[in-house]
Amino acid sequence: MNTAGHPEATERRGLELTPFRGLRYDSDLVGSLAAVTSPPYDVVVRPDGLHHLQDSDPHNIVRLILPQAITPSARNEQAADTLHRWLSEGVLTTDPEPGLYVYEQRDGSGLLQRGVIGALRLTDPSEGVVLPHEDVMPHVIADRAALMRATSANFEPLLLTYRGNGSAADTTTVVEHIAERPPLLSTTTEDGFSHRLWSVTDPADLARIQSGLAGHQALIADGHHRWATYRRLRAEHPSPSPWDYGLVLLVDTARYPLRVRAIHRLLHGVPVADALAALDGLFRVQHLEVPLPEALEALADAACAGNAFLLAGDGSFHLVDRPDPDLLARTIPADRPAAWRTLDATVLHSTLLDHVWLIPEDDPARIAYIHDTAATVRKAERDGGTAVLMHPVREEVVRDLALQGVTMPRKSTSFGPKPASGLVLRALEP
């Protein structure tokens, strides 16, 4: 664990965003742009969501980000073959000149998010330019690295946030001016979000965006494993090279605050009755015969007073809270800040998973991480497992810990809205 903290980045070592020639779908050769997009690879609920996306269009991006074959090597080879075929057929085409891309998302509730997609210079943690806030799982990094090696491409932008200063020279000011122009593409996905994309190639616009980002730090909101993958692959290639950069979306949360949601856990092969029995005398357990929205309200109320979780999978809900203080003292490392020790995710991983349920957090055969609340409950009920529903962490807690150099337990948060995959890709080699 890094406890040294990260001072504010200097102008010389701030965010360096570089134009690139984007790969984009030819709308004349695909059914619709919405039909070829996908949520990020780790948000797709498998297998249901994966099959749905595959069936939506034969060119859906999920065939590149989550190829399906018997072995890992076969999956990666399949993704590379698919990419090369789509390029040769003209399904994917390269934009004529390098640019940055302004990206906008809206939903029916009034949410509006805009940011800039580009190739970001990769930095070392000691530089304090890009701040992670979660631990990562080595097997996921290995999987993503193998896919990127096979395809020599970045298929999905990471979501990074920074805090603009609101000045006339601020990047977000330029972004909003560009968003007044006719977009390069526009589509609405089945989740109700509308997406618009603009290409930025004018040298003056590019210079203003880049200078506006210089000196800023960014927080990884979504994509810790892909950032770690970018850095691993950079180390494998002599510099300078395209591998010195990675595809990102940068959003100014001073202007466009993100939503922070929880990521839930699904314990495979653990019936709810067994999970509850192990908690006897260690936590308070309340049985709730209410619908999911009311159960989540009860979880939110309990979370105001301390650590709380909601267990599901047997047709009802069980509110788990008020952990035994002696249990926490025995199981949670004492060498971390209080804000880290009291996180629900810390108690879940250090206490419940490690000492009560004895489930390895990085074993996909024992535990799954799912963003969608209702889907987590449905899968637990269908498979006979236990859904552990979490309450979201506030963004300021995440940022404060990241600035201290303290990483949260893996899959602690879900920032959104996340960029749709498939609107613009980046090839690392011609």
Side-chain angles (χ1 to χ4, degrees):
M1 179 190 67
N2 177 9
T3 58
H6 297 293
E8 191 67 29
T10 64
E11 182 173 352
R12 185 176 63 87
R13 304 304 295 173
L15 297 165
E16 297 180 17
L17 199 63
T18 300
F20 69 102
R21 294 179 64 196
L23 288 180
R24 295 189 297 107
Y25 282 100
D26 184 334
S27 57
D28 293 331
L29 296 182
V30 297
S32 75
L33 289 176
V36 297
T37 65
S38 164
Y41 79 98
D42 58 338
V43 181
V44 175
V45 178
R46 286 164 266 192
D48 303 7
L50 179 63
H51 293 158
H52 172 71
L53 291 164
Q54 287 177 327
D55 293 342
S56 66
D57 191 284
H59 300 110
N60 189 283
I61 191 67
V62 77
R63 298 179 184 274
L64 297 181
I65 63 176
L66 289 173
Q68 298 301 294
I70 300 298
T71 66
S73 60
R75 289 195 293 270
N76 296 326
E77 183 178 346
Q78 180 185 94
D81 290 344
T82 299
L83 175 61
H84 296 153
R85 184 174 72 255
W86 289 357
L87 288 168
S88 65
E89 294 172 351
V91 172
L92 286 173
T93 61
T94 305
D95 281 339
E97 55 183 317
L100 300 175
Y101 296 84
V102 169
Y103 175 48
E104 174 190 280
Q105 294 168 278
R106 291 179 184 262
D107 72 358
S109 71
L111 181 144
L112 169 63
Q113 177 175 290
R114 291 182 180 135
V116 184
I117 295 176
L120 185 69
R121 182 183 68 86
L122 305 180
T123 59
D124 294 322
S126 61
E127 297 180 61
V129 176
V130 175
L131 309 178
H133 69 267
E134 287 183 356
D135 288 334
V136 292
M137 293 176 273
H139 75 275
V140 177
I141 298 171
D143 173 75
R144 292 294 98 184
L147 177 65
M148 290 187 202
R149 285 190 202 98
T151 58
S152 294
N154 298 155
F155 293 137
E156 308 176 273
L158 282 64
L159 176 58
L160 306 185
T161 72
Y162 70 100
R163 305 285 293 181
N165 55 29
S167 70
D170 197 44
T171 293
T172 301
T173 303
V174 186
V175 165
E176 292 177 346
H177 284 314
I178 291 170
E180 296 173 354
R181 306 171 186 170
L184 187 66
L185 64 85
S186 177
T187 190
T188 300
T189 45
E190 63 181 5
D191 59 4
F193 273 89
S194 66
H195 307 262
R196 296 199 297 170
L197 192 75
W198 293 261
S199 177
V200 185
T201 57
D202 179 80
D205 288 337
L206 292 173
R208 290 177 65 196
I209 289 174
Q210 291 171 315
S211 64
L213 292 171
H216 283 295
Q217 293 172 301
L219 176 73
I220 301 178
D222 185 69
H224 284 80
H225 289 92
R226 282 168 285 164
W227 178 258
T229 300
Y230 287 169
R231 295 189 61 250
R232 173 180 292 188
L233 294 174
R234 180 192 66 171
E236 295 176 1
H237 294 81
S239 185
S241 81
W243 298 91
D244 293 338
Y245 299 82
L247 186 64
V248 305
L249 165 65
L250 278 162
V251 173
D252 176 4
T253 52
R255 174 65 179 84
Y256 302 107
L258 268 64
R259 293 172 175 169
V260 187
R261 293 177 173 163
I263 302 176
H264 310 295
R265 276 67 170 162
L266 175 61
L267 311 182
H268 297 302
V270 180
V272 174
D274 292 353
L276 292 173
L279 301 179
D280 187 38
L282 302 176
F283 286 76
R284 183 178 71 166
V285 178
Q286 300 178 73
H287 182 75
L288 306 178
E289 285 289 352
V290 296
L292 177 59
E294 293 182 28
L296 292 173
E297 289 179 6
L299 174 63
D301 289 341
C304 292
N307 301 117
F309 312 91
L310 202 61
L311 270 54
D314 60 355
S316 59
F317 298 97
H318 309 269
L319 182 63
V320 175
D321 66 354
R322 298 188 184 179
D324 174 30
D326 290 337
L327 172 68
L328 299 184
R330 293 195 310 270
T331 57
I332 294 179
D335 61 344
R336 313 286 178 94
W340 182 91
R341 297 197 307 272
T342 55
L343 289 169
D344 287 339
T346 298
V347 174
L348 173 63
H349 285 255
S350 296
T351 303
L352 287 169
L353 293 178
D354 288 355
H355 290 86
V356 177
W357 291 327
L358 304 178
I359 296 174
E361 62 182 10
D362 57 355
D363 183 353
R366 302 288 304 281
I367 185 170
Y369 298 83
I370 304 176
H371 293 71
D372 186 274
T373 308
T376 310
V377 175
R378 286 196 303 269
K379 288 178 71 66
E381 292 177 344
R382 184 181 64 194
D383 302 340
T386 294
V388 183
L389 306 183
M390 309 281 289
H391 185 67
V393 182
R394 292 177 292 115
E395 180 182 359
E396 54 265 33
V397 173
V398 177
R399 189 175 294 275
D400 287 347
L401 285 172
L403 286 168
Q404 296 177 57
V406 178
T407 53
M408 300 166 65
R410 58 197 61 175
K411 299 293 183 182
S412 293
T413 59
S414 176
F415 284 86
K418 304 178 190 303
S421 299
L423 295 179
V424 61
L425 292 61
R426 174 178 176 252
L428 280 83
E429 296 177 3

